[in-house]
Amino acid sequence: QVQLVESGGGLVQAGGSLRLSCVASGRTFSGLGMGWFRQAPGKEREFVAIINWVDGAAHHADSVKGRFTISRDNAKNTVYLEMNSLKPEDTAVYYCGARSGGASTAASLYPYWGQGTQVTVSS
């Protein structure tokens, strides 16, 4: 079992920045893949960024590439999502997910999720 707790969301103006954190607990993490996904009202959960815990290999969605950066801190069992140049269309609930066997861009493959953190970007 893996427990995930997200934090760092909030209300920000367009062009602003936020950093989301996801603290993981419950088991060893070396074989885990981690991901940040988001879900806006009336839409499906979509991939934002993923990272492999063991080597830090990361991949970002085209819509956030150059603005968002995923990273992890092994000592703190924490995955971060640094979000810059935020746009109103980034408004959503952001979720952290974990799975065994490496990260994936498919939300359906993640058995473990945090409770989500709201990000609202005003124009």
Side-chain angles (χ1 to χ4, degrees), residues 36-99:
W36 283 101
F37 295 77
R38 65 188 181 188
Q39 189 165 16
K43 295 187 176 182
E44 293 188 352
R45 193 168 296 189
E46 66 172 1
F47 148 69
V48 176
I50 56 174
I51 190 167
N52 284 327
W53 202 282
V54 62
D55 60 7
H59 177 52
H60 299 79
D62 288 344
S63 60
V64 306
K65 202 168 290 184
R67 300 188 298 123
F68 292 11
T69 302
I70 190 171
S71 64
R72 90 258 191 261
D73 184 328
N74 290 350
K76 295 182 178 180
N77 292 340
T78 301
V79 174
Y80 301 100
L81 185 68
E82 187 75 35
M83 304 187 295
N84 299 312
S85 302
L86 282 160
K87 304 175 181 179
E89 51 263 43
D90 295 318
T91 296
V93 178
Y94 283 70
Y95 295 92
C96 174
R99 67 182 299 271

Side-chain angles (χ1 to χ4, degrees), residues 101-116:
S104 170
T105 60
S108 61
L109 296 181
Y110 286 75
Y112 306 110
W113 293 98
Q115 81 286 356

Side-chain angles (χ1 to χ4, degrees), residues 6-12 18-21 83 92 94 117-120:
E6 302 104 331
S7 62
L11 172 63
V12 64
L18 286 172
R19 188 176 78 158
L20 306 184
S21 300
M83 304 187 295
Y94 283 70
T117 185
Q118 176 71 46
V119 172
T120 302

